[in-house]
Amino acid sequence: MSSSIDFDEAFSVLFLESGWREPIGPVEALRRWKSFSEDCLDGFPWDVDDYNNDLTLRTRLAETLPRLEEEGYDAARRLAGKIEESDSRVRVVLRCESFLGFPEDRWWLRRTPIYASKDFCIEFREAYGVDIEPKSRFDDDKREIARMKAAGMSALDVLIHVRAEGWYVSTNSGLFFRAFREAFPSVRRNRKLVLGWISGEVEEPMLRSSFSEHR
Protein backbone atom coordinates (compact mmCIF):
# COMPACT_ATOMS: atom_id res chain seq x y z
CA MET A 1 0.00 0.00 0.00
CA SER A 2 1.03 3.62 -0.46
CA SER A 3 2.93 5.43 2.27
CA SER A 4 1.37 8.09 4.47
CA ILE A 5 3.41 10.73 2.64
CA ASP A 6 1.94 9.61 -0.68
CA PHE A 7 -1.53 9.75 0.84
CA ASP A 8 -1.03 13.30 2.08
CA GLU A 9 0.05 14.38 -1.38
CA ALA A 10 -2.77 12.56 -3.14
CA PHE A 11 -5.30 14.01 -0.71
CA SER A 12 -4.07 17.56 -1.26
CA VAL A 13 -4.02 17.17 -5.05
CA LEU A 14 -7.59 15.88 -5.17
CA PHE A 15 -8.81 18.69 -2.93
CA LEU A 16 -7.22 21.30 -5.19
CA GLU A 17 -8.66 19.63 -8.27
CA SER A 18 -12.11 19.73 -6.67
CA GLY A 19 -11.92 23.51 -6.46
CA TRP A 20 -10.55 23.98 -2.94
CA ARG A 21 -8.68 27.29 -2.93
CA GLU A 22 -5.50 26.39 -1.04
CA PRO A 23 -3.38 23.33 -0.25
CA ILE A 24 -4.75 21.30 2.64
CA GLY A 25 -3.69 17.97 4.07
CA PRO A 26 -5.73 15.28 5.81
CA VAL A 27 -4.63 16.31 9.31
CA GLU A 28 -5.76 19.90 8.80
CA ALA A 29 -9.01 18.83 7.14
CA LEU A 30 -9.82 16.57 10.08
CA ARG A 31 -8.92 19.31 12.56
CA ARG A 32 -11.20 21.79 10.83
CA TRP A 33 -14.18 19.45 10.67
CA LYS A 34 -13.70 18.43 14.29
CA SER A 35 -13.52 22.11 15.25
CA PHE A 36 -16.72 22.78 13.30
CA SER A 37 -18.56 20.01 15.12
CA GLU A 38 -17.43 21.38 18.48
CA ASP A 39 -18.43 24.92 17.48
CA CYS A 40 -21.89 23.69 16.54
CA LEU A 41 -22.33 21.88 19.84
CA ASP A 42 -21.40 25.09 21.69
CA GLY A 43 -23.66 27.20 19.45
CA PHE A 44 -21.91 28.18 16.21
CA PRO A 45 -20.21 31.53 17.00
CA TRP A 46 -18.86 32.55 13.58
CA ASP A 47 -20.55 34.01 10.50
CA VAL A 48 -22.48 32.38 7.66
CA ASP A 49 -19.50 32.44 5.29
CA ASP A 50 -17.44 30.49 7.83
CA TYR A 51 -20.30 28.02 8.23
CA ASN A 52 -20.64 27.49 4.49
CA ASN A 53 -16.88 27.06 4.08
CA ASP A 54 -16.94 24.24 6.62
CA LEU A 55 -19.86 22.59 4.84
CA THR A 56 -17.93 22.80 1.58
CA LEU A 57 -14.98 21.13 3.30
CA ARG A 58 -17.24 18.26 4.36
CA THR A 59 -18.58 17.91 0.82
CA ARG A 60 -15.04 17.74 -0.56
CA LEU A 61 -14.22 15.04 1.98
CA ALA A 62 -17.26 13.06 0.86
CA GLU A 63 -16.08 13.29 -2.74
CA THR A 64 -12.38 12.71 -2.13
CA LEU A 65 -12.09 9.92 0.43
CA PRO A 66 -13.99 7.24 -1.56
CA ARG A 67 -11.73 7.89 -4.54
CA LEU A 68 -8.63 7.51 -2.40
CA GLU A 69 -9.98 4.32 -0.85
CA GLU A 70 -10.58 2.91 -4.33
CA GLU A 71 -6.97 3.72 -5.18
CA GLY A 72 -5.82 1.57 -2.28
CA TYR A 73 -5.01 4.11 0.41
CA ASP A 74 -5.74 2.50 3.77
CA ALA A 75 -5.18 5.92 5.36
CA ALA A 76 -8.30 7.17 3.56
CA ARG A 77 -10.42 4.55 5.29
CA ARG A 78 -8.94 5.44 8.67
CA LEU A 79 -9.53 9.14 8.05
CA ALA A 80 -13.13 8.45 7.05
CA GLY A 81 -13.65 6.73 10.39
CA LYS A 82 -12.34 9.76 12.27
CA ILE A 83 -14.53 12.08 10.21
CA GLU A 84 -17.53 9.92 11.11
CA GLU A 85 -16.77 10.43 14.80
CA SER A 86 -17.19 14.18 14.35
CA ASP A 87 -20.22 13.57 12.12
CA SER A 88 -21.95 11.69 14.91
CA ARG A 89 -21.39 14.61 17.27
CA VAL A 90 -22.52 17.39 14.96
CA ARG A 91 -25.65 15.46 13.90
CA VAL A 92 -26.97 16.16 17.40
CA VAL A 93 -27.22 19.84 16.43
CA LEU A 94 -27.80 19.70 12.66
CA ARG A 95 -31.34 18.38 12.92
CA CYS A 96 -33.67 20.82 11.14
CA GLU A 97 -34.66 19.61 7.66
CA SER A 98 -34.31 23.00 5.97
CA PHE A 99 -32.96 22.39 2.46
CA LEU A 100 -34.78 19.37 1.10
CA GLY A 101 -33.27 19.72 -2.35
CA PHE A 102 -30.12 18.06 -1.04
CA PRO A 103 -30.09 14.25 -0.71
CA GLU A 104 -29.99 12.54 2.66
CA ASP A 105 -26.39 11.45 2.14
CA ARG A 106 -25.50 15.15 2.09
CA TRP A 107 -27.18 15.69 5.46
CA TRP A 108 -24.79 18.52 6.42
CA LEU A 109 -26.19 20.55 3.49
CA ARG A 110 -29.78 19.41 3.96
CA ARG A 111 -30.04 20.19 7.67
CA THR A 112 -29.41 23.28 9.76
CA PRO A 113 -28.55 23.80 13.45
CA ILE A 114 -31.30 23.78 16.03
CA TYR A 115 -29.42 26.57 17.85
CA ALA A 116 -26.47 28.91 17.27
CA SER A 117 -25.13 32.31 18.32
CA LYS A 118 -27.49 35.26 18.08
CA ASP A 119 -25.60 37.10 15.32
CA PHE A 120 -25.34 33.94 13.24
CA CYS A 121 -29.08 33.33 13.61
CA ILE A 122 -29.87 36.84 12.39
CA GLU A 123 -27.51 36.56 9.42
CA PHE A 124 -28.77 33.08 8.50
CA ARG A 125 -32.39 34.23 8.66
CA GLU A 126 -31.62 37.15 6.36
CA ALA A 127 -29.72 34.94 3.91
CA TYR A 128 -31.99 31.87 3.78
CA GLY A 129 -35.22 32.63 5.60
CA VAL A 130 -34.54 29.88 8.14
CA ASP A 131 -35.12 30.51 11.84
CA ILE A 132 -32.66 29.12 14.37
CA GLU A 133 -32.88 29.38 18.14
CA PRO A 134 -30.32 31.89 19.48
CA LYS A 135 -28.33 29.99 22.09
CA SER A 136 -24.56 29.73 22.48
CA ARG A 137 -21.75 29.73 24.99
CA PHE A 138 -20.29 32.73 23.18
CA ASP A 139 -23.42 34.78 23.83
CA ASP A 140 -23.48 33.59 27.45
CA ASP A 141 -19.95 34.90 27.94
CA LYS A 142 -20.75 38.19 26.19
CA ARG A 143 -23.70 38.76 28.51
CA GLU A 144 -21.58 38.07 31.56
CA ILE A 145 -18.86 40.43 30.33
CA ALA A 146 -21.50 43.13 29.81
CA ARG A 147 -22.76 42.51 33.35
CA MET A 148 -19.27 42.93 34.81
CA LYS A 149 -18.77 46.12 32.83
CA ALA A 150 -22.10 47.48 34.08
CA ALA A 151 -21.02 46.64 37.64
CA GLY A 152 -17.99 48.90 37.19
CA MET A 153 -15.24 46.42 36.36
CA SER A 154 -12.54 47.90 34.13
CA ALA A 155 -11.68 46.56 30.69
CA LEU A 156 -8.30 45.36 31.97
CA ASP A 157 -9.81 43.57 34.96
CA VAL A 158 -12.38 41.89 32.72
CA LEU A 159 -9.65 40.60 30.41
CA ILE A 160 -7.59 39.21 33.27
CA HIS A 161 -10.62 37.66 34.97
CA VAL A 162 -11.97 35.96 31.85
CA ARG A 163 -8.64 34.31 31.10
CA ALA A 164 -7.90 33.37 34.71
CA GLU A 165 -11.29 31.68 35.06
CA GLY A 166 -10.92 29.80 31.76
CA TRP A 167 -14.13 31.04 30.18
CA TYR A 168 -15.28 29.61 26.87
CA VAL A 169 -14.24 32.71 24.88
CA SER A 170 -10.74 32.58 26.36
CA THR A 171 -10.03 29.31 24.53
CA ASN A 172 -10.11 31.02 21.12
CA SER A 173 -8.26 34.27 20.48
CA GLY A 174 -10.68 35.38 17.76
CA LEU A 175 -13.74 34.94 19.96
CA PHE A 176 -12.03 36.49 22.97
CA PHE A 177 -11.08 39.61 21.04
CA ARG A 178 -14.55 39.92 19.50
CA ALA A 179 -16.24 39.68 22.88
CA PHE A 180 -13.89 42.28 24.35
CA ARG A 181 -14.25 44.67 21.40
CA GLU A 182 -18.04 44.51 21.49
CA ALA A 183 -18.16 45.10 25.25
CA PHE A 184 -15.60 47.92 25.24
CA PRO A 185 -15.89 49.69 21.87
CA SER A 186 -14.38 52.89 23.29
CA VAL A 187 -11.09 51.16 24.15
CA ARG A 188 -9.23 51.74 20.89
CA ARG A 189 -5.64 52.66 21.68
CA ASN A 190 -4.97 49.39 23.47
CA ARG A 191 -6.56 47.05 20.94
CA LYS A 192 -3.32 45.96 19.28
CA LEU A 193 -1.78 45.11 22.64
CA VAL A 194 -4.98 43.40 23.78
CA LEU A 195 -4.93 41.19 20.70
CA GLY A 196 -1.25 40.46 21.27
CA TRP A 197 -1.92 39.50 24.89
CA ILE A 198 -4.89 37.32 23.95
CA SER A 199 -2.79 35.50 21.34
CA GLY A 200 0.10 35.04 23.77
CA GLU A 201 2.51 37.45 22.09
CA VAL A 202 2.37 40.15 24.80
CA GLU A 203 3.10 39.61 28.49
CA GLU A 204 0.62 40.71 31.15
CA PRO A 205 2.89 43.43 32.67
CA MET A 206 3.08 45.18 29.30
CA LEU A 207 -0.70 44.99 28.96
CA ARG A 208 -1.20 46.45 32.43
CA SER A 209 1.30 49.20 31.71
CA SER A 210 -0.50 50.15 28.52
CA PHE A 211 -3.83 50.50 30.28
CA SER A 212 -2.23 52.55 33.05
CA GLU A 213 -0.74 54.97 30.53
CA HIS A 214 -4.11 55.64 28.90
CA ARG A 215 -6.21 56.19 31.98
Side-chain angles (χ1 to χ4, degrees), residues 6-202:
D6 290 336
F7 171 67
D8 289 356
E9 293 175 354
F11 180 95
S12 183
V13 167
L14 282 181
F15 250 67
L16 290 172
E17 289 178 352
S18 73
W20 196 253
R21 298 175 302 280
E22 57 191 17
I24 185 172
V27 173
E28 175 63 11
L30 175 61
R31 185 200 67 77
R32 289 180 61 167
W33 185 244
K34 182 178 180 181
S35 178
F36 173 78
S37 69
E38 292 170 350
D39 282 341
C40 285
L41 287 168
D42 291 328
F44 194 77
W46 309 103
D47 62 26
V48 170
D49 283 343
D50 292 321
Y51 180 84
N52 286 335
N53 285 339
D54 288 329
L55 297 188
T56 300
L57 172 73
R58 184 62 183 85
T59 300
R60 296 292 179 264
L61 285 166
E63 296 166 348
T64 299
L65 291 180
R67 290 180 58 185
L68 291 170
E69 287 189 53
E70 290 175 1
E71 293 175 13
Y73 289 98
D74 288 341
R77 176 178 48 78
R78 293 192 295 270
L79 178 58
K82 293 177 181 178
I83 294 295
E84 176 57 34
E85 291 177 8
S86 292
D87 286 350
S88 64
R89 289 172 58 79
V90 77
R91 282 176 187 266
V92 174
V93 181
L94 299 188
R95 286 166 41 192
C96 294
E97 297 273 351
S98 300
F99 300 108
L100 302 183
F102 291 105
E104 180 58 35
D105 65 358
R106 292 293 188 267
W107 53 267
W108 55 91
L109 301 174
R110 181 182 176 96
R111 300 172 188 167
T112 52
I114 56 175
Y115 60 85
S117 66
K118 180 180 178 181
D119 289 345
F120 176 85
C121 293
I122 293 171
E123 187 183 5
F124 204 84
R125 177 71 176 83
E126 291 174 350
Y128 302 112
V130 175
D131 290 317
I132 300 172
E133 179 187 358
K135 184 180 73 170
S136 73
R137 295 181 67 185
F138 178 61
D139 289 329
D140 290 344
D141 281 2
K142 285 203 306 180
R143 281 191 292 270
E144 186 60 18
I145 288 172
R147 186 197 64 77
M148 290 191 297
K149 178 186 177 183
M153 187 176 288
S154 70
L156 175 62
D157 287 340
V158 168
L159 284 169
I160 301 298
H161 177 80
V162 168
R163 171 174 282 181
E165 295 297 317
W167 287 22
Y168 167 74
V169 293
S170 71
T171 63
N172 183 287
S173 58
L175 294 182
F176 198 174
F177 187 67
R178 271 178 56 199
F180 170 80
R181 186 181 59 199
E182 291 178 22
F184 296 94
S186 62
V187 179
R188 299 182 181 277
R189 291 183 178 179
N190 305 77
R191 282 187 179 179
K192 188 173 182 180
L193 272 175
V194 167
L195 183 57
W197 178 77
I198 286 173
S199 61
E201 299 171 0
V202 172

